[in-house]
Each structure stands twice: as structure tokens, then as C-alpha cells.
Amino acid sequence: MHIAEGFLPLQWAVAWWLISLPFLAVGLRSLTRISRSHPELKLLLALAGAFTFVLSALKIPSVTGSCSHPTGTGLGAMLFGPTVMTVIGSIVLLFQALLLAHGGLTTLGANIFSMAIVGPFVAWGAFQLFSSSGHRRLAVFAAAALANLATYVVTAGQLAIAFPAASGGVMASFLKFGSIFAITQIPLAITEGLLTVLVWNWLQSYGQPELKTLRLLHQES
């Protein structure tokens, strides 16, 4: 979902930065609190970051000025909550812009909002909703897949607002961008959901102490 460097008009690039900054501030406080109170979870935090970095680097070019790829933010959002993943996802996006020319610095605020804010919040909400039914693996799959799809829907919206169609305006432009994304993004979302379930199963086998600690954190919050 990374919008390319310089693709957005200046006013929209600045606007998405201003919208994203408060979420980053809250996320930094959450990340600092978890790191200080539970230093044994730092390895799991690194795993969530690496998972996001690798999956979101697997880009498929798009004619829309953006790209399609898995996002990887759902796993961390389920483990640590959406605000922590806002920070981790933003760091991933920054490094990808600097080292891989994947996305840009001027469009970083917009990319943070779609992938590191909306995606994690959707994942966390879906995980809570489906977990209440008792089907944990379904909850993990739905959270990861819906976070992926929500990110692309928001990116399509960001592009539509910045570049409304001459005939039909923002809605016509949104339908155009969304239809182009959907060709690749729907199968990618399903694939990401299945992959995340496999990682979750691995964590249940080899990371039970950390998962128990995180359950306590979720209960406290």
C-alpha cells in the first residue's frame, strides 16, 4: 500500500502527517510501558517488527501510484494492541522508504495512517470480536486478512481524495482505484491470514510464557 515518493499533492502529504502524529505519540507511550514493565517481551516485539517488514516488502507494482503486498501488521496488533503496532509499523515504513525506495518520506504520513494505524486497529477489533465466539484460529485469520483489506481500502480512499475523477468526483475515483487494487489484494489478504495462523500456532507451541503475559496485559487494559 506504499504510496510512492512525491505522488501526493503537498497539502495532502502534510494533512496525513498531522493526522498520524497523535496516534504515534500514544503508541510510543504504550511501547515504552510494555518494554519497561515486561523486558522479556522485547524478542517478541522484534519478531512482530520483522514479520511486518518482510511481508510488506513483498510488493507487486500497481498502476495507481501505489503497490500491492501483504502488510503483516495484524500479528503484532493481536499480540500487543494497535497503538504499539502503530509505532512498529511506522519504523518499518521509514526503513523501507530509506533503504528500499519502497514508499516515500513525503508520503510517509499517508502510508503510516493506512498501514500502521487503520490496519492494526481493524485487526485488533476483529480479533476481539471473533475471539468471543471461541474460534481462536478463525479470529487470527480474520484479523490478519481484514487488516490487509482495510489498509488497501484506505489507500484507495487517500488516492481518490487527492485525485478525484473529472466525472463522478471522489467516489468514481475511489471505485477505480479500489477495483484495480482488488485484483491482487483479495488473494493476498487470504494468504496473509493463513500465514498468520501458522505463525500463531508456532507461538502457541514455543512462546506460551510470553502469550500468558500478554493475556494479562490485555486484561489489565
Side-chain angles (χ1 to χ4, degrees):
M1 305 306 152
H2 300 25
I3 300 175
E5 180 69 271
F7 194 79
L8 288 178
L10 178 61
Q11 67 271 26
W12 283 111
V14 173
W16 289 115
W17 263 113
L18 295 176
I19 293 171
S20 298
L21 284 176
F23 291 93
L24 275 171
V26 174
L28 280 172
R29 284 198 302 177
S30 300
L31 182 59
T32 302
R33 176 174 55 83
I34 290 178
S35 299
R36 288 178 177 173
S37 59
H38 297 283
E40 71 276 13
L41 295 178
K42 289 181 179 178
L43 188 60
L44 199 56
L45 282 167
L47 172 67
F51 187 75
T52 302
F53 186 92
V54 172
L55 262 66
S56 59
L58 303 174
K59 62 179 180 178
I60 300 173
S62 168
V63 297
T64 62
S66 180
C67 55
S68 294
H69 55 76
T71 63
T73 57
L75 177 65
M78 288 182 276
L79 292 171
F80 299 105
T83 57
V84 170
M85 273 314 293
T86 293
V87 179
I88 293 176
S90 299
I91 294 172
V92 166
L93 288 165
L94 175 61
F95 274 92
Q96 289 178 343
L98 293 174
L99 302 178
L100 305 177
H102 186 15
L105 295 177
T106 60
T107 55
L108 188 58
N111 291 331
I112 287 174
F113 184 78
S114 62
M115 196 182 97
I117 295 175
V118 173
F121 272 91
V122 169
W124 184 82
F127 183 68
Q128 301 300 319
L129 178 64
F130 283 92
S131 290
S132 62
S133 67
H135 297 90
R136 181 55 56 86
R137 288 185 176 84
L138 174 61
V140 172
F141 171 82
L146 290 176
N148 182 310
L149 289 175
T151 301
Y152 111 80
V153 169
V154 171
T155 301
Q158 289 171 321
L159 294 172
I161 293 171
F163 304 102
S167 176
V170 172
M171 181 54 67
S173 184
F174 174 77
L175 293 175
K176 182 189 73 174
F177 285 123
S179 62
I180 294 172
F181 275 131
I183 296 172
T184 52
Q185 207 60 40
I186 291 175
L188 281 174
I190 295 172
T191 303
E192 180 173 346
L194 295 173
L195 177 62
T196 307
V197 171
L198 293 177
V199 175
W200 189 270
N201 290 340
W202 180 83
L203 287 173
Q204 284 189 317
S205 299
Y206 300 102
Q208 289 189 8
E210 289 82 1
L211 290 182
K212 289 179 181 177
T213 301
L214 289 166
R215 290 297 130 213
L216 291 175
L217 285 175
H218 284 310
Q219 289 176 9
E220 289 171 358
S221 64

